[in-house]
């Protein structure tokens, strides 16, 4: 049944929708709902955006009625789960994609838009500065990590999410919220949030669509609950909720 909640063998809650457009609509409804709760309880709503191609449809929806009108954008804190080692105008920039599809179309308070400084010559220092901004702007959990209301994340065919790529050092980072992460397979570096801060989120949406994700979804979903072969398997919020939203193509190999 479209949208009905299920749980994978590996303990991941998920919903399957007929098309990527229905995934985007379900994600937009969830975003508005979480924003209403956060703004009612704490006066502000924080969201961490993802890069890649999947979130684009969600961003466009959020910039369009009725979703755009469902929250007070002046009280939204925008963060990024990761970004590439480029400036805000570079075609690879996650900020640029978000700005084109959402940020420039809604009445945000510019003081509340927090871009990762991918252009920095010293990415480790840029990561530290970003973590310090998160510490200033967000409440902390019991372990001292900043708590994001909603983290929007995707899944790469290799099982990466944010810029937590297989066999990279960021996977082992349990102290810092944000790090510079070398990704040898891509011959590049990334800035990325780490497991402790992603898993501190009040809500996490994993948005996965398309046939090319079917194999990795099956591997992650059919694994034993404690198996962490793929980075996205380690996205397990401590106190928050997790929903994987798949289209039928991405879910096509699931029983
Ligand atoms: C990035 C993203 C990355 C993305 C996956 C899926 O910077 O590329 O943060 O983690 O979510 O690679 O990308 P697609 O949505 O394009 O499949």
């Amino acid at each position: 049944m479209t949208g009905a909640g299920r749980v994978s063998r590996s303990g991941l809650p998920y919903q399957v929708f007929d098309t990527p457009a229905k995934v985007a609509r379900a994600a937009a409804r969830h975003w508005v709902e979480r924003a209403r709760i956060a703004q009612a309880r704490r006066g502000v709503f924080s969201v961490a955006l993802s890069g890649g191609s999947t979130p684009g449809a969600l961003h466009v929806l959020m910039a369009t009625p009725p979703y755009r009108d469902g929250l007070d954008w002046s009280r939204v804190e925008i963060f990024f789960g990761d970004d590439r080692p480029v400036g805000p105008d570079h075609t690879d920039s996650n900020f640029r994609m978000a700005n084109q599809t959402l940020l420039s179309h809604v009445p945000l308070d510019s003081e509340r838009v927090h871009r990762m400084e991918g252009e920095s010559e010293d990415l480790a220092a840029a990561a530290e500065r970003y973590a310090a901004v998160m510490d200033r702007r967000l409440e902390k959990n019991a372990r001292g990590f900043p708590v994001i209301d909603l983290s929007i994340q995707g899944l790469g065919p290799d099982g990466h999410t944010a810029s937590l790529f297989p066999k990279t050092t960021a996977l082992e980072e349990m102290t810092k919220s944000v790090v510079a992460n070398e990704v040898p397979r891509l011959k590049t570096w990334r800035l990325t949030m780490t497991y402790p801060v992603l898993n501190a989120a009040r809500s996490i949406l994993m948005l996965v669509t398309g046939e090319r994700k079917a194999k990795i979804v099956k591997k992650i979903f059919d694994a034993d609950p404690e198996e962490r072969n793929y980075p996205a398997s380690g996205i397990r919020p401590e106190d928050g909720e997790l929903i994987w939203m798949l289209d039928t193509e991405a879910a096509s190999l699931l029983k």
Side-chain angles (χ1 to χ4, degrees), residues 50-55 82 84 94 154-156 160-163 190 212-213:
S50 172
S53 56
T54 306
D82 68 328
R84 288 80 180 285
N94 293 343
L155 174 71
H160 81 264
T161 188
S163 282
R190 293 282 185 91
R212 74 186 185 100
K213 304 293 177 72

Coordinates of all heavy atoms in Angstrom, one line a residue, residues 50-55 82 84 94 154-156 160-163 190 212-213, ligand 1:
S50 N 20.3 18.2 2.1 CA 21.3 17.3 1.5 C 21.5 17.8 0.0 O 20.8 18.6 -0.5 CB 20.6 15.9 1.4 OG 21.4 15.1 0.6
G51 N 22.6 17.3 -0.5 CA 22.9 17.6 -1.9 C 22.4 16.5 -2.8 O 21.4 15.8 -2.5
G52 N 23.0 16.4 -4.0 CA 22.5 15.4 -5.0 C 21.3 15.9 -5.7 O 20.8 17.0 -5.6
S53 N 20.7 14.9 -6.5 CA 19.6 15.3 -7.3 C 18.2 15.0 -6.7 O 17.2 15.7 -7.0 CB 19.7 14.5 -8.7 OG 19.7 13.1 -8.3
T54 N 18.1 14.1 -5.8 CA 16.8 13.7 -5.2 C 16.1 14.9 -4.5 O 14.9 15.1 -4.7 CB 17.0 12.5 -4.3 OG1 17.6 11.4 -5.0 CG2 15.6 12.0 -3.8
P55 N 16.8 15.6 -3.7 CA 16.1 16.6 -2.9 C 15.5 17.8 -3.7 O 14.6 18.5 -3.3 CB 17.1 17.2 -1.9 CG 18.2 16.3 -2.0 CD 18.2 15.6 -3.3
D82 N 26.1 18.3 4.4 CA 27.5 18.2 3.8 C 27.6 19.2 2.6 O 26.6 19.7 2.2 CB 27.8 16.8 3.3 CG 26.9 16.3 2.1 OD1 25.8 16.8 2.0 OD2 27.4 15.6 1.3
R84 N 30.5 20.2 -0.9 CA 31.7 19.9 -1.6 C 32.8 21.0 -1.4 O 32.4 22.1 -0.9 CB 31.4 19.7 -3.1 CG 30.6 18.5 -3.4 CD 29.1 18.6 -3.1 NE 28.3 17.4 -3.4 CZ 27.9 17.1 -4.6 NH1 28.3 17.8 -5.6 NH2 27.2 16.0 -4.8
N94 N 26.4 22.1 -3.1 CA 25.0 21.8 -2.6 C 24.3 23.0 -2.2 O 23.0 23.1 -2.3 CB 25.1 20.8 -1.3 CG 25.7 19.5 -1.7 OD1 25.7 19.1 -2.9 ND2 26.1 18.7 -0.7
G154 N 20.1 11.7 1.6 CA 19.9 10.8 0.4 C 20.8 9.6 0.6 O 21.5 9.4 1.7
L155 N 20.9 8.8 -0.4 CA 21.6 7.5 -0.4 C 22.4 7.3 -1.7 O 21.8 7.4 -2.8 CB 20.7 6.3 -0.2 CG 21.3 4.9 -0.2 CD1 22.2 4.7 1.0 CD2 20.3 3.8 -0.4
G156 N 23.7 7.2 -1.6 CA 24.4 6.9 -2.8 C 24.4 5.4 -3.1 O 24.2 4.6 -2.2
H160 N 26.6 5.5 0.7 CA 27.0 6.7 1.5 C 25.7 7.5 1.7 O 24.8 7.5 1.0 CB 28.1 7.5 0.8 CG 27.6 8.4 -0.3 ND1 27.7 8.0 -1.6 CD2 27.1 9.6 -0.3 CE1 27.2 9.0 -2.4 NE2 26.9 10.0 -1.6
T161 N 25.8 8.4 2.8 CA 24.8 9.4 3.0 C 25.5 10.6 3.6 O 26.6 10.5 4.2 CB 23.7 8.9 4.0 OG1 22.6 9.9 4.1 CG2 24.3 8.6 5.4
A162 N 25.0 11.8 3.3 CA 25.7 13.0 3.5 C 27.0 12.8 2.8 O 27.0 12.4 1.7 CB 25.9 13.4 5.0
S163 N 28.2 13.1 3.5 CA 29.4 12.7 2.8 C 30.2 11.7 3.7 O 31.4 11.7 3.8 CB 30.3 13.9 2.5 OG 29.8 14.6 1.4
R190 N 35.4 16.4 1.3 CA 34.1 16.9 1.5 C 34.0 17.5 2.9 O 34.8 17.1 3.8 CB 33.0 15.8 1.5 CG 32.9 15.1 0.1 CD 32.1 16.0 -0.9 NE 31.8 15.4 -2.2 CZ 30.7 14.7 -2.4 NH1 29.8 14.4 -1.4 NH2 30.4 14.2 -3.6
R212 N 18.5 2.7 -9.9 CA 19.9 2.5 -9.6 C 20.2 2.4 -8.1 O 21.3 2.1 -7.7 CB 20.8 3.6 -10.3 CG 20.7 5.0 -9.6 CD 21.5 6.0 -10.4 NE 21.5 7.3 -9.6 CZ 22.5 7.7 -8.9 NH1 23.6 7.0 -8.9 NH2 22.5 8.9 -8.3
K213 N 19.2 2.7 -7.3 CA 19.4 2.6 -5.8 C 18.8 1.2 -5.3 O 19.0 0.9 -4.2 CB 18.7 3.7 -5.1 CG 19.1 5.1 -5.5 CD 20.5 5.4 -5.2 CE 20.9 6.8 -5.7 NZ 20.3 7.9 -5.0
Ligands
LIG1 C1 25.9 14.9 -1.9 C2 24.8 14.4 -1.0 C3 24.9 12.9 -1.1 C4 23.6 12.5 -1.9 C5 23.7 11.1 -2.4 C6 22.5 10.7 -3.3 O1 26.6 15.9 -1.5 O2 26.0 14.4 -3.0 O3 24.8 14.9 0.2 O4 24.9 12.2 0.1 O5 22.5 12.5 -1.0 O6 24.9 11.0 -3.2 O7 22.5 11.6 -4.4 P1 21.3 11.6 -5.4 O8 20.1 12.2 -4.7 O9 21.8 12.5 -6.5 O10 21.1 10.2 -5.9

